[in-house]
Amino acid sequence: MTNTRMETIMKIAADPSTSIMLPQQANIDFYGEDVFNADTMRVYLPKQTYEKLMATIDEGVALDATIAGEVANAMKKWAIDRGATHFTHWFLPLTGSTAEKHDSFLEPEGCKAILAFSGKNLIVGEPDASSFPSGGLRSTFEARGYTAWDPTSPAFIKRHGNGATLCIPTAFCSYTGEALDKKTPLLRSLQALSKSTRRLMTCFKAGPKKTTVTLGAEQEYFLIDKRFYLQRPDLYQAGRTLFGAAPAKHQQMDDHYFASIPARILNFMHDVEKELWKLGIPAKTRHNEVAPAQFELAPMFEDVNLACDHNMLVMETLQKVADRHGLVCLLHEKPFAGVNGSGKHNNWSVSYGKGNLLNPGKDPHQNAVFLTTLCAVIYAVDTHADLLRMTCAGAGNDHRLGANEAPPAIVSMYLGDQLMDVIEQLEKGTPKSSKQAGAMRIGADMLPPLPRDATDRNRTSTFAFTGNKFEFRAPGSSQSCSEPNVVLNTIVAEAMDMIASQLEKLNDKDFNSGLQKILQKIIKEHKRVLFNGNGYTDDWVKEAKRRGLPNISSSMEALKALIKKENIALFEKYQVFSRRELESRYEVNVEEYHKRIHIEGEVARDMAKNIILPKVMEAYTNALTINDLAKKQKLPTVNAYAKQLGTGISALMDSIAALEKALNGKHEGILASMKELRIKVDALEKIVPDDKWPLPKYREMLFIY
Ligand code: ADP
Ligand code: MG
C-alpha cells in the first residue's frame, strides 16, 4: 500500500496554487455593496420613511410599525437588484452558530409568479425551530419560536455559487417572549447600560446623549491544507487533534509570529477581506500568530451589536474562503496540543455621545469622568469575576485557560504604570500628577523621537487596559462575542448605578470631595483585582489565592455562576435575563459540554482501535518476521525493537479498553482516559516506521501549506 501522507505532501508541493501570488487590485469601491446600509436606504426609501427608520437605528426610538411595508418593499427591490431570489431571518441560536431558513420571494399568481415580500415577512418569522437547544424553555409540542427583525443591524446579502440570499438579522424568542438566542440578552444589556450611563453622566451635568458600547473582536485561527484535514477524523469530527506527538520544531524559535505571510495564505486573506468588505465588515489587520499555521484578523471596532453579528460572519467567511483555497480554517481553541491555542480578544469600551468614557486624555488625574468609569469597571470586574469567567467556559477553552499561553483562569486587571500610579495617588488623596510617558528614543539618531503609549502592553493579563478600552483576553476563538459583552454591560451598569446613587445625594459644593471619597472606597475595596505583573507564573497563582481572587479552572465549575442566587438577582434587576432564562442557559451549556467530551471520547477510541492499532500491528509483524529470520541466519536480532512495539501495543489496547469503559461514566473519567490513551499513541508515533503511520503528523500539518 502506498503512503497517503507522503502522497499528500507531494501533491501539495506540486500544486501551483500554493505558491502563486495573484495580482491584487487596490480598489475598495465595493465596500458595503451587499449591505442595506444608510446610503442604500436613502436611495431606496421615501424620505420620511428613511428618517423614521434612522431614528430607530441611531437613537433607539421604538420602530413605527406602519413603515414596515415600505421598508420591506425597498429591501426586496434592492435585494433583487443585487441578484437575490430568497430571504431569510438570520439569527443566533444557543448552539453558538448562526441559523437561517430560506424562503423564496416567489409567489405564484395564476400561471405566472411574482416576487413578493411583505412588511410582516420583514418584521416577524416563525421558523419551526423545535430542534434548537432551549434548555427546557420549550418542549417540542409547543415549538413555536419567533424571529423578530433587529433594525439596528442592517440586512445583508449572502452570496453562493450562482445565487444570493437576503439575510435579515433577527432576535429569536419563544412564544412567551423568553430569549432563545444570543442577540436578545445583548440588546437588553445595552439598554441597561445606556440607562445607567445616562444616570451617571447626568451627575456630571452632561445632557442626554446616546450611549454606544464599542467592540473590536480580534479573531485568531489556524489554517491547514484540506488534504491533511480529511485524513484526520479527530479534526473533522471534534475540531481538534486528539493525538499527535510533539514535532522537533514547533513554536520555540518564535519565528512565525508577525513573519512574512506565505503567498498561499496571503491570497486567502485577501479573498477573505474582499468578502468581508462587501459585507461592510471593516477587516483591518492581518498577521501570523505565535503558533505555526496560526493567524489573526482584527476588524475596526463597531457598535457592539453589529460587531457581534459581524464576528459570526467573519468566522463563517474564514471557513468558506478557506475551503475555496483548498485549506481548512480551524476555529477550535486548541486544535494542536503543545502550541498556542486561539482566543478572541474582546476590546470593549463605552462612549457617551461622541466621547469615549475610557479615554484618559493627557492628564488622567484631572479627568473625573474617566476615573469614575475606570473605577466602575474595577468594581464590576472584581465583584463579578465569576460571571466573566463563566462567559469563557467551554470544552474547547478548558485546554487554553490556565495553560502557559492564554491568560490564566484568574480574572485580574492590568492598568499599566501610569494609571496604576494615578490610582495609588487617588487612594491616598487628590492625585496631583500623571506620570508622563515622555518620548521614547529608539537609539538611532536619524529617527525622530516617538511619543510613547502611556500604557505598556501586558499579554499575560486577563483584562487589560489598552489605551482607551479594555481588552478581555480569555474568550475562546470559536465562541460568540455575545456572552462576554452581555456580562460586561450588565456589571458595569450596576457599578455605574451604585456610584450614581451616591453622587445624586451630593450638593454641588461637595461634589468633588464626595466623588473622591466614593472612588477611594472602591479602590480600597477592589484593588486586589489589579495586577501589573506576569500572569503566567506560579507566584501569581499563589498571590491571587492570598488576595482571595477566584481561580476557577474547569468549565463545569465556571458555569455554576449562571445559577448563583446573587447573579440571578443581578440579571433580573437589569432585565437582561429572567431566572428561567438563566437556568435554561445553564442547562444548555452543561449539556453541550458533556456531548462534546463524549464525542471526543468516541472519536479517540475509534481512531485508536480502527486506524492506529492495525498499523502498529503491521509494524510489529514486520519486526517479528525480521527477528525470526535473523535468528535463523544467526545474525544480530531486533528483539529490543520488537519488544518495544509489543509493549506499546499491549499498553495501547489496555488504554482503549479503559476509555471504552470510561465512556459509560462521567466526563472527568473520559478526559482522564483520553489523556492516557494519547500518551500511548504519541509514544508509538515516535517508534513506528514513518511510512506506516496512518495520520498526518504535527510537523506536516503545521508546516506544509
Ligand atoms: P492588538 O493585537 O495589539 O491588541 P489589534 O489592532 O489587533 O491590536 O486590535 C485592537 C482592536 O481594538 C481593534 O479591533 C480595534 O478596532 C479595537 N479598538 C480600538 N479602540 C477601541 C474602542 N474604543 N472600543 C473598542 N474597541 C476598540
Ligand atoms: Mg491583534
Side-chain angles (χ1 to χ4, degrees):
M1 199 182 123
T2 51
N3 180 345
T4 41
R5 274 177 40 233
M6 207 53 215
E7 261 176 27
T8 307
I9 294 171
M10 296 326 286
K11 271 190 202 146
I12 296 173
D15 184 348
S17 75
T18 61
S19 54
I20 285 177
M21 275 290 235
L22 303 176
Q24 300 178 349
Q25 277 173 345
N27 167 12
I28 48 162
D29 293 348
F30 55 83
Y31 187 83
E33 72 177 15
D34 280 338
V35 191
F36 195 61
N37 55 25
D39 281 359
T40 319
M41 286 191 252
R42 201 178 293 117
V43 176
Y44 280 84
L45 281 171
K47 188 158 181 275
Q48 247 196 335
T49 315
Y50 169 79
E51 276 161 9
K52 277 187 185 162
L53 186 56
M54 289 314 282
T56 298
I57 295 169
D58 288 341
E59 289 142 46
V61 177
L63 183 78
D64 174 356
T66 59
I67 66 168
E70 273 174 1
V71 178
N73 204 36
M75 222 184 247
K76 179 189 80 177
K77 205 156 168 284
W78 168 76
I80 291 169
D81 286 349
R82 308 269 327 132
T85 50
H86 290 67
F87 71 92
T88 181
H89 277 196
W90 181 87
F91 59 102
L92 311 169
L94 297 183
T95 53
S97 40
T98 59
E100 47 191 72
K101 176 193 166 210
H102 298 192
D103 274 292
S104 72
F105 290 122
L106 179 127
E107 202 163 280
E109 238 184 24
C111 303
K112 292 243 182 249
I114 57 160
L115 295 168
F117 182 59
S118 69
K120 183 164 179 281
N121 288 156
L122 168 65
I123 288 186
V124 53
E126 197 205 322
D128 172 24
S130 49
S131 292
F132 286 114
S134 76
L137 279 185
R138 285 173 317 157
S139 33
T140 29
F141 61 87
E142 47 180 37
R144 273 171 200 263
Y146 290 88
T147 49
W149 177 35
D150 168 17
T152 60
S153 180
F156 57 92
I157 285 175
K158 232 158 91 168
R159 306 193 167 278
H160 53 91
N162 47 9
T165 303
L166 169 67
C167 298
I168 300 152
T170 54
F172 179 47
C173 56
S174 75
Y175 185 62
T176 43
E178 274 143 339
L180 297 172
D181 70 345
K182 308 229 168 191
K183 184 189 272 284
T184 309
L186 182 66
L187 294 175
R188 291 178 186 160
S189 73
L190 266 176
Q191 222 160 29
L193 184 56
S194 296
K195 226 164 118 190
S196 305
T197 309
R198 181 171 293 191
R199 181 176 171 198
L200 180 67
M201 291 307 287
T202 306
C203 298
F204 287 94
K205 306 253 181 308
K209 287 186 189 140
K210 190 190 174 194
T211 300
T212 314
V213 176
T214 46
L215 166 67
E218 300 169 53
Q219 178 71 50
E220 294 178 340
Y221 59 92
F222 280 82
L223 286 174
I224 64 166
D225 193 282
K226 193 175 174 183
R227 288 163 279 204
F228 287 136
Y229 175 83
L230 293 176
Q231 296 172 56
R232 299 271 328 202
D234 46 359
L235 279 179
Y236 62 75
Q237 287 255 286
R240 72 177 180 105
T241 54
L242 301 171
F243 306 113
K249 178 175 188 285
H250 44 93
Q251 67 184 38
Q252 61 278 64
M253 309 292 290
D254 289 322
D255 53 355
H256 185 67
Y257 188 58
F258 279 17
S260 155
I261 305 170
R264 183 179 188 192
I265 305 299
L266 209 44
N267 286 336
F268 156 84
M269 289 175 166
H270 187 76
D271 241 11
V272 167
E273 285 158 359
K274 229 168 132 177
E275 297 245 334
L276 294 179
W277 291 341
K278 274 191 207 160
L279 290 168
I281 300 173
K284 181 83 175 151
T285 63
R286 59 188 190 198
H287 61 82
N288 286 12
E289 254 304 328
V290 170
Q294 191 187 29
F295 307 93
E296 182 189 296
L297 176 156
M300 274 289 295
F301 66 92
E302 299 178 281
D303 165 88
V304 66
N305 176 39
L306 189 59
C308 283
D309 284 355
H310 279 173
N311 180 255
M312 298 308 291
L313 292 171
V314 165
M315 291 196 284
E316 182 176 318
T317 306
L318 285 168
Q319 289 176 308
K320 203 172 70 183
V321 175
D323 190 60
R324 227 159 49 207
H325 286 251
L327 296 162
V328 173
C329 173
L330 303 172
L331 292 171
H332 193 283
E333 282 75 17
K334 193 79 176 178
F336 301 98
V339 297
N340 273 20
S342 300
K344 178 136 46 194
H345 296 172
N346 193 94
N347 293 277
W348 177 96
S349 189
V350 51
S351 296
Y352 192 64
K354 290 212 176 343
N356 176 356
L357 300 185
L358 283 174
N359 187 356
K362 267 220 174 70
D363 287 315
H365 72 280
Q366 292 175 341
N367 189 338
V369 170
F370 167 74
L371 284 176
T372 307
T373 313
L374 182 71
C375 287
V377 179
I378 292 173
Y379 173 91
V381 171
D382 184 43
T383 311
H384 299 293
D386 62 333
L387 280 174
L388 283 169
R389 170 64 185 93
M390 175 278 295
T391 67
C392 309
N397 220 12
D398 269 3
H399 299 284
R400 197 176 147 253
L401 292 186
N404 222 25
E405 46 163 275
I410 305 161
V411 175
S412 70
M413 284 172 91
Y414 169 85
L415 295 184
D417 289 345
Q418 187 198 28
L419 278 188
M420 207 49 191
D421 179 58
V422 172
I423 289 290
E424 275 161 9
Q425 290 182 55
L426 181 60
E427 190 191 353
K428 289 185 205 115
T430 315
K432 300 214 167 45
S433 68
S434 298
K435 257 191 195 172
Q436 288 300 332
M440 177 170 63
R441 306 266 335 160
I442 307 224
D445 284 343
M446 60 284 196
L447 293 174
L450 297 176
R452 187 164 59 183
D453 268 347
T455 50
D456 195 6
R457 287 174 177 257
N458 177 322
R459 302 227 157 250
T460 66
S461 172
T462 335
F463 203 89
F465 184 75
T466 46
N468 62 350
K469 62 187 192 287
F470 274 101
E471 181 175 349
F472 184 28
R473 301 210 178 94
S477 50
S478 69
Q479 72 176 86
S480 146
C481 296
S482 170
E483 278 89 358
N485 294 293
V486 168
V487 165
L488 270 170
N489 295 346
T490 311
I491 64 180
V492 173
E494 182 203 43
M496 285 181 167
D497 270 347
M498 182 274 295
I499 297 173
S501 63
Q502 297 176 63
L503 289 176
E504 283 159 358
K505 292 192 196 113
L506 300 170
N507 54 33
D508 284 359
K509 187 165 62 58
D510 303 327
F511 188 83
N512 283 338
S513 59
L515 174 64
Q516 191 175 319
K517 281 204 195 87
I518 296 167
L519 300 189
Q520 275 169 344
K521 182 161 183 283
I522 293 179
I523 295 169
K524 282 207 173 71
E525 286 171 8
H526 299 283
K527 66 177 177 193
R528 62 173 192 164
V529 78
L530 303 178
F531 177 62
N532 272 1
N534 183 352
Y536 292 169
T537 61
D538 289 338
D539 285 350
W540 169 233
V541 176
K542 280 190 214 123
E543 168 65 11
K545 191 164 177 201
R546 197 191 58 75
R547 294 187 189 186
L549 299 177
N551 182 0
I552 307 166
S553 61
S554 88
S555 281
M556 275 302 122
E557 203 46 43
L559 286 173
K560 289 189 183 140
L562 276 168
I563 45 169
K564 264 202 217 156
K565 215 170 92 208
E566 61 269 32
N567 292 340
I568 295 177
L570 169 75
F571 284 120
E572 287 200 322
K573 175 173 175 208
Y574 284 93
Q575 297 180 339
V576 173
F577 287 120
S578 68
R579 166 190 292 273
R580 253 164 69 83
E581 286 171 334
L582 285 166
E583 285 168 353
S584 80
R585 264 154 224 257
Y586 175 71
E587 207 172 295
V588 168
N589 283 315
V590 168
E591 203 181 313
E592 186 200 300
Y593 180 87
H594 283 126
K595 281 184 185 160
R596 266 187 208 282
I597 302 293
H598 213 269
I599 290 171
E600 286 188 353
E602 290 204 17
V603 172
R605 177 204 54 198
D606 292 347
M607 286 176 70
K609 214 164 148 175
N610 308 335
I611 301 178
I612 295 158
L613 182 60
K615 281 288 165 193
V616 188
M617 297 277 225
E618 273 177 38
Y620 189 33
T621 315
N622 266 356
L624 291 177
T625 313
I626 293 169
N627 214 24
D628 279 352
L629 270 175
K631 261 187 215 152
K632 270 187 207 136
Q633 314 243 358
K634 300 211 167 27
L635 288 168
T637 60
V638 290
N639 267 325
Y641 177 59
K643 196 169 163 197
Q644 215 183 0
L645 282 171
T647 316
I649 289 176
S650 77
L652 176 65
M653 293 193 343
D654 287 348
S655 290
I656 294 173
L659 175 56
E660 192 96 62
K661 204 160 149 222
L663 280 168
N664 296 317
K666 291 210 171 104
H667 67 272
E668 293 99 334
I670 301 177
L671 284 168
S673 302
M674 278 170 63
K675 203 168 157 193
E676 271 308 303
L677 176 61
R678 179 172 189 147
I679 293 171
K680 311 288 156 48
V681 171
D682 292 357
L684 282 165
E685 184 187 321
K686 289 285 196 193
I687 50 174
V688 165
D690 191 55
D691 69 336
K692 282 271 182 296
W693 194 251
L695 301 169
K697 296 186 172 183
Y698 271 31
R699 65 168 184 243
E700 294 155 358
M701 290 184 285
L702 290 171
F703 288 92
I704 301 174
Y705 48 79

